[in-house]
Amino acid sequence: MKNIFNTDGSSLIAIGMKSGAVLDEHKAPCKAKLMVIKGEIDFNTATESRRLAVYDSYDIPLDVTHSVEAYEDALFLLMLES
């Protein structure tokens, strides 16, 4: 994980994951969007699983517990706005 940009109210974080790695269940702390730059990830909630591939983006819902699993080696950007 690397913080690329941080200013008042917004930040951009790059997250790299090896195939099979998991970001454990958590909730977004603020308005957030992710965009896949390399590979594929699975965005999982209690009610759905969504596979995201290169250049796919997704608005992460607030107050929804979710996890992220790398289907293959992946790199994605996480954009946060408070």
Side-chain angles (χ1 to χ4, degrees):
M1 186 176 331
K2 179 172 173 98
N3 195 337
I4 295 175
F5 176 79
N6 194 355
T7 188
D8 291 339
S10 64
S11 61
L12 180 63
I13 301 167
I15 300 173
M17 299 175 68
K18 292 284 188 188
S19 178
V22 176
L23 289 177
D24 291 330
E25 289 188 339
H26 60 282
K27 290 183 182 180
C30 59
K31 186 176 178 184
K33 180 178 203 129
L34 68 79
M35 184 171 141
V36 180
I37 302 300
K38 175 185 171 191
E40 294 183 19
I41 60 172
D42 292 328
F43 184 91
N44 304 304
T45 68
T47 58
E48 77 172 311
S49 181
R50 181 183 299 252
R51 178 144 309 150
L52 302 169
V54 175
Y55 305 125
D56 285 344
S57 62
Y58 182 69
D59 290 315
I60 299 171
L62 286 173
D63 296 324
V64 174
T65 301
H66 61 276
S67 64
V68 177
E69 181 173 355
Y71 179 73
E72 56 186 41
D73 289 356
L75 174 64
F76 61 96
L77 298 176
L78 184 62
M79 295 154 271
L80 304 171
E81 292 182 37
S82 51

